[in-house]
Structure formats: structure tokens, C-alpha cells
Amino acid sequence: MKDFMMVLFGGAVGSGLRWWIGTRAWFEGSFPVKTLLVNLVATGILGFLLVYLNRYQTIGKELRLLIGVGFCGGLSTFSTFSLESFELMRSGNWGEAIWYPTLSFGLCLGILALLSRL
């Protein structure tokens, strides 16, 4: 039950932060900058947690569940990413429809590659 509560609390905070960022007026336009931003941040936090801290410090199971599964899982969003990519294609924004997933995957993998070198 404790594990479930750690994931639940972390997920609530991550999802709340994702909602808050999504309601801000920054970066309005057809390109989904806010989703890209939350996915990059979640990838960076998860990568740091699992790569760097795991290598140099002992991380308890509870912290992994709270931050890794809960917070990062709640903050990041593949379903919104997929829907936004589809909407860009459907609306005929082909340049953005190609750049958005390319940039998302490329930057997220780049973050993990950089963190793996720490």
C-alpha cells in the first residue's frame, strides 16, 4: 500500500504541474511547445534519477516510485503528444507534424545520452 501511495502522490503532483503548464499563455500557436517542454523535463528528471543517482548514490525504492513512476509519469504525456502530432497532420501543418515528433524523440534521447556520460 505504501508503494501505491508514493506513486499516487507523485503522479498527482506531476499531473497537476502538467495541467498548470498547459494552462499558461506562453507559446501559443500550432506547435505544441508546452507538451514538448514537459516531456523534456520529465525525461531529464527520470534520466538523472536513474542514470546519475543510481550510479553514485543509493536511491530507495520509495524515492524511485515517488519521482520516477509517479511524478515523471504524471508530468510526461505520450497520449497528448500522439494526439497533437495527429492534429498537426490532420490540419495540414506537415512541417510541424514532421518536426514535432522528430524534435521530441531526438531531444529526449539526447538528454538521456548526455546524462549517461555523467
Side-chain angles (χ1 to χ4, degrees), residues 10-88:
V13 173
S15 295
L17 182 58
R18 177 171 35 123
W19 171 84
W20 182 81
I21 289 170
T23 62
R24 302 302 98 191
W26 346 301
F27 307 116
E28 292 302 327
S30 62
F31 193 83
V33 174
K34 294 179 230 181
T35 303
L36 177 62
L37 176 66
V38 296
N39 286 337
L40 292 173
V41 169
T43 298
I45 292 170
L46 186 61
F48 181 77
L49 180 72
L50 296 178
V51 174
Y52 183 77
L53 291 178
N54 196 32
R55 186 175 296 156
Y56 297 108
Q57 297 178 6
T58 303
I59 302 172
K61 177 183 173 186
E62 291 83 12
L63 188 59
R64 287 178 196 259
L65 291 172
L66 176 73
I67 298 172
V69 178
F71 179 77
C72 290
L75 179 62
S76 63
T77 171
F78 190 77
S79 57
T80 301
F81 163 78
S82 300
L83 178 62
E84 289 169 344
S85 297
F86 179 76
E87 289 297 327
L88 288 170

